[in-house]
């Protein structure tokens, strides 16, 4: 087991340098067919999934904004922010001071279940689900006052270090992914800054998600089987396993030795299944 643990640590050391460039990334979003929930500013059956890539506090996440674009990907649509007290409650429940790398944070419409703050990564529970209008709130910024509503023709889902000053302001974007076969201004800016692979060159139908099967380098696919609150398979699952191993290694928990061994075992098994290691 010791030799395999060394191999795991070596593999983690080779993770792309961009991994540490953004504390949170968009991992998946879903295009539903419902209407916007009253007072929520988000379509009832849609979701956005983020993955946290660095140890991050509730206050740091609450300082960010996130949202989407219109279906022409030419201007910003809804602008939301995370509710700090809700995030802090999840951390208090887990007896942690910050969210660990590998945490999956979902913002969902009201039809996709109640808010879930049972965050407990030290015991294998790595997910949080915030409901629009509760733990995820419409930004008080009135210059951009749309809803989060994923479009068939196109959309760009983003997260920003600041509140956009106008509906074409992408200057604070930390990360973004989207789809459009004829990208507008917002999608074109995302492709220019983050890479063309961050925009899937396609329209999508209702009932379809856009998910990253890669890691810090996107490999976007359209899928009719969304994986809300779960890793997306392929390299994405391997990457998130690695993030969690790093998170457990730094967690302030006296009994984390066994947790580390369990994480290492899961990491190795994942690599074996994907042909990365051979027994």
């Amino acid at each position: 087991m010791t030799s395999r643990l060394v191999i795991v640590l070596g593999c983690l050391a080779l993770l792309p340098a961009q991994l540490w460039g953004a504390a949170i990334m968009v991992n998946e979003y879903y295009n539903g067919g419902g209407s916007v929930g009253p007072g929520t500013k988000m379509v009832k059956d849609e979701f956005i999934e983020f993955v946290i890539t660095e140890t991050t506090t509730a206050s740091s996440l609450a300082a960010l904004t996130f949202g989407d674009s219109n279906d022409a990907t030419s201007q910003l649509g809804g602008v939301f922010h995370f509710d700090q007290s809700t995030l802090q409650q999840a951390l208090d429940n887990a007896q942690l001071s910050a969210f660990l790398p590998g945490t999956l944070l979902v913002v969902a419409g009201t039809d996709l279940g109640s808010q879930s703050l049972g965050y407990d990564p030290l015991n294998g529970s790595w997910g949080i689900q915030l409901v629009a209008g509760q733990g995820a709130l419409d930004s008080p910024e009135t210059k951009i006052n749309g809803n989060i509503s994923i479009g068939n023709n196109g959309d760009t889902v983003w997260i920003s270090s600041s509140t956009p000053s106008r509906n074409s302001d992408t200057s604070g974007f930390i990360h973004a992914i989207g789809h459009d076969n004829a990208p507008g201004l917002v999608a074109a800016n995302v492709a220019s800054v983050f890479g063309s692979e961050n925009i899937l060159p396609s329209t999508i139908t209702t009932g379809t998600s856009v998910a990253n099967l890669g890691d810090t380098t996107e490999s976007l696919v359209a899928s009719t089987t969304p994986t809300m609150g779960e890793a997306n398979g392929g390299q994405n699952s391997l990457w998130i396993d690695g993030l969690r191993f790093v998170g457990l290694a730094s967690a302030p928990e006296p009994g984390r030795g066994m947790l580390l061994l369990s994480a290492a075992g899961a990491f190795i098994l994942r690599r074996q299944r994907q042909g990365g290691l051979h027994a």
Side-chain angles (χ1 to χ4, degrees):
M1 185 64 167
T2 301
S3 62
R4 288 192 169 184
L5 184 57
V6 170
I7 292 171
V8 170
L9 292 172
C11 292
L12 293 176
L14 295 175
L15 286 173
Q18 304 97 298
L19 174 64
W20 312 111
I24 185 169
M25 296 171 63
V26 186
N27 204 47
E28 184 178 7
Y29 60 85
Y30 179 70
N31 175 25
S35 59
V36 174
T40 70
K41 303 281 286 188
M42 185 174 184
V43 170
K44 296 178 183 179
D45 62 350
E46 296 186 343
F47 71 82
I48 300 171
E49 177 189 271
F50 302 93
V51 57
I52 293 175
T53 62
E54 298 179 4
T55 302
T56 308
T57 64
S59 60
S60 294
L61 288 173
L64 307 175
T65 60
F66 65 93
D68 76 332
S69 72
N70 61 1
D71 65 0
T73 64
S74 60
Q75 61 184 30
L76 305 184
V79 181
F80 272 48
H81 68 95
F82 302 112
D83 178 62
Q84 182 173 341
S85 62
T86 303
L87 293 175
Q88 190 59 53
Q89 181 182 340
L91 287 176
D92 291 345
N93 291 344
Q95 299 183 352
L96 291 172
S97 59
F99 295 101
L100 301 182
T103 298
L104 290 174
L105 175 55
V106 172
V107 174
T110 54
D111 281 357
L112 294 180
S114 59
Q115 196 153 266
S116 175
L117 304 180
Y119 182 60
D120 191 9
L122 299 179
N123 289 296
S125 180
W126 287 90
I128 303 166
Q129 181 166 315
L130 305 180
V131 173
Q134 299 177 36
L137 303 171
D138 179 38
S139 172
E141 172 61 59
T142 57
K143 295 178 182 177
I144 306 166
N145 198 29
N147 301 318
I148 292 183
S149 178
I150 305 301
N152 289 16
N153 180 71
D155 214 310
T156 304
V157 176
W158 52 270
I159 188 159
S160 176
S161 60
S162 59
T163 301
S165 61
R166 58 191 184 282
N167 62 21
S168 60
D169 181 15
T170 61
S171 61
F173 281 15
I174 296 170
H175 188 252
I177 61 174
H179 69 277
D180 198 336
N181 59 4
L185 177 64
V186 173
N189 286 348
V190 168
S192 175
V193 173
F194 298 103
S196 60
E197 66 273 11
N198 283 55
I199 302 297
L200 184 70
S202 174
T203 60
I204 63 174
T205 59
T206 299
T208 301
S209 73
V210 173
N212 178 27
L213 293 186
D215 42 49
T216 55
T217 299
E218 272 67 24
S219 177
L220 299 181
V221 297
S223 174
T224 56
T225 54
T227 54
M228 183 177 76
E230 300 176 3
N232 299 331
Q235 183 68 23
N236 189 255
S237 294
L238 179 62
W239 171 57
I240 290 175
D241 283 346
L243 288 174
R244 291 174 177 176
F245 185 90
V246 171
L248 288 174
S250 61
E253 175 68 24
R256 68 175 181 261
M258 289 305 297
L259 293 169
L260 282 172
L261 290 175
S262 297
F267 186 88
I268 290 165
L269 180 59
R270 179 82 67 178
R271 286 188 61 84
Q272 287 175 333
R273 286 175 174 172
Q274 299 204 12
L277 288 176
H278 301 279

